[in-house]
Amino acid sequence: MKKIITIEEHFDTPQAAQLFNENVGTGQNPKPIYEKLIDFENRLRYMDANGIDMQILSNAGNSPQVLPGDLAISACKDINDTLAEVIKLHPTRFAGLATLPVNNPEACVEELKRCITDLGLKGALISGTVNGQFLDDPKFLPIFAEAEKLDIPLYLHPGYPTNEQRDLLYTSEAYPKISSMLISTFAWGWHMDQGLQMVRLIFSGIFDKFPELKIISGHWGEFVPNFIERLDSISQIPGVGLKKPFSAYYRKNVYISPSGMFTKPQFDLAIAEMGVDHILYSEDYPYLIKEGEVRSFFDQMSISLEDKEKIAYKNAEKLFKL
């Protein structure tokens, strides 16, 4: 492989972590992960040792996006400014996705414009729902409109479920509380939640409104590729209101990535459903650290070298204008 660019790699700052802990207080990163999130020199050494030429950095999970009120606006600006400074120090090794105060759509649009036009970031990442509200609500339309206008992708990343969601869907007297936490987050729940986010957006007509909008979905598409044919059959029922089958929007406007889930059956399904031009590459550092597998996974791919290089870096270079 000539090059590898991974596109879902996370960072944090001590200031942002402290704000999150003081105002949200749940889901803090364990110390070993936190230390990797803030240490860029060790990150570079890791990238060198594992053949990763560039990471596209984002702040996810414990995002300032979830902070209350105006605090989210200032905190997102601070973390975006920090990200831009890190990229200036290492412009060939890092690019970045903006963190946005999505709970205030007007401020979110202004921060998105600033991040792309002034800071040189390459897109934005939104973590999960917004105070339990899905992004198909009409009040969020200006965010998608601005992303299309700026011609940048939005990465829809999982976020923590609300307490009400966890209690209803994942808590049980039949297993320990830790099982509830794990099932509701990275084992299952927030992936289903983010897959539902995508399905709702497409059925809301988001790509009829914004036909050039580009959205990225990690973890092999958060279950959606498994159900494309089923969703197609439903999307064509009279009265649903979509101009095209579900798959036509998904395969044109959505890009998917493994997020460190380096498993051949899922890759084979992704290729079958999406085609090579809409697959990006990612490790999900430091939440998943796949030493040795980042490059060796390409050996399992039964595709041409040209197609491997599209997944490894060419698709990312084109989408993010690197």
Side-chain angles (χ1 to χ4, degrees), residues 20 24 59-68 72 99-105 108 125-137 139-140 143-144 155-166 169-170 184-185 189-201 222:
F20 184 91
V24 181
N59 185 269
N62 297 347
S63 171
Q65 167 195 312
V66 304
L67 295 177
T99 303
L100 302 175
V102 193
N103 59 346
N104 185 326
C108 179
L125 181 144
I126 298 174
S127 290
T129 56
V130 183
N131 299 322
Q133 191 169 37
F134 287 94
L135 294 171
D136 54 89
D137 189 284
K139 73 180 183 181
F140 298 118
I143 302 170
F144 295 104
Y155 201 123
L156 300 189
H157 187 276
Y160 284 95
T162 64
N163 291 333
E164 292 78 11
Q165 288 170 328
R166 180 176 291 170
L169 298 172
Y170 303 109
S184 70
T185 54
W190 66 19
H191 304 293
M192 293 294 291
D193 193 57
Q194 200 57 11
L196 178 58
Q197 177 95 273
M198 183 67 71
V199 170
R200 288 178 60 130
L201 279 170
E222 315 287 10

Side-chain angles (χ1 to χ4, degrees), residues 80-256:
N80 291 330
D81 289 341
T82 300
L83 177 55
E85 289 300 316
V86 170
I87 293 167
K88 282 182 182 178
L89 292 173
H90 306 282
T92 64
R93 307 304 304 275
F94 298 132
L97 303 179
T99 303
L100 302 175
V102 193
N103 59 346
N104 185 326
E106 183 177 347
C108 179
V109 167
E110 291 305 309
E111 180 62 5
L112 179 57
K113 286 192 283 190
R114 185 184 80 92
C115 287
I116 304 305
T117 60
D118 296 345
L119 300 184
L121 302 185
K122 301 300 182 180
L125 181 144
I126 298 174
S127 290
T129 56
V130 183
N131 299 322
Q133 191 169 37
F134 287 94
L135 294 171
D136 54 89
D137 189 284
K139 73 180 183 181
F140 298 118
L141 285 176
I143 302 170
F144 295 104
E146 190 62 32
E148 184 189 49
K149 181 180 177 181
L150 293 166
D151 192 26
I152 53 93
L154 295 177
Y155 201 123
L156 300 189
H157 187 276
Y160 284 95
T162 64
N163 291 333
E164 292 78 11
Q165 288 170 328
R166 180 176 291 170
D167 289 345
L168 175 64
L169 298 172
Y170 303 109
T171 299
S172 172
E173 295 296 328
Y175 46 71
K177 287 184 178 179
I178 189 172
S179 298
S180 170
M181 186 278 290
L182 294 171
I183 296 169
S184 70
T185 54
F186 50 81
W188 179 265
W190 66 19
H191 304 293
M192 293 294 291
D193 193 57
Q194 200 57 11
L196 178 58
Q197 177 95 273
M198 183 67 71
V199 170
R200 288 178 60 130
L201 279 170
I202 292 177
F203 275 93
S204 77
I206 195 74
F207 295 123
D208 287 331
K209 298 179 182 76
F210 310 115
E212 301 307 315
L213 176 66
K214 302 172 186 71
I215 291 179
I216 305 170
S217 182
H219 309 97
W220 294 122
E222 315 287 10
F223 295 102
V224 176
N226 300 63
F227 274 78
I228 281 184
E229 284 74 20
R230 181 82 162 180
L231 290 163
D232 262 359
S233 66
I234 294 169
S235 66
Q236 296 302 283
I237 292 175
V240 169
L242 294 180
K243 296 178 181 179
K244 303 174 185 177
F246 182 95
S247 62
Y249 302 105
Y250 197 79
R251 290 170 178 147
K252 174 182 181 289
N253 298 86
V254 178
Y255 295 76
I256 67 173

Side-chain angles (χ1 to χ4, degrees), residues 34-77:
Y34 167 73
E35 289 174 347
K36 288 182 174 65
L37 285 165
I38 65 171
D39 188 338
F40 292 98
E41 294 306 317
N42 273 332
R43 180 189 296 261
L44 286 166
R45 285 191 283 271
Y46 175 84
M47 291 166 63
D48 290 341
N50 289 275
I52 301 168
D53 296 270
M54 175 179 276
Q55 287 186 344
I56 298 182
L57 304 176
S58 57
N59 185 269
N62 297 347
S63 171
Q65 167 195 312
V66 304
L67 295 177
D70 291 342
L71 186 58
I73 300 173
S74 60
C76 287
K77 286 182 177 180

Side-chain angles (χ1 to χ4, degrees), residues 1 298-299 301 303-312:
M1 302 299 303
F298 285 94
D299 296 333
M301 299 180 186
I303 55 176
S304 69
L305 177 59
E306 180 183 0
D307 285 346
K308 289 179 183 181
E309 289 188 338
K310 285 184 177 183
I311 295 169

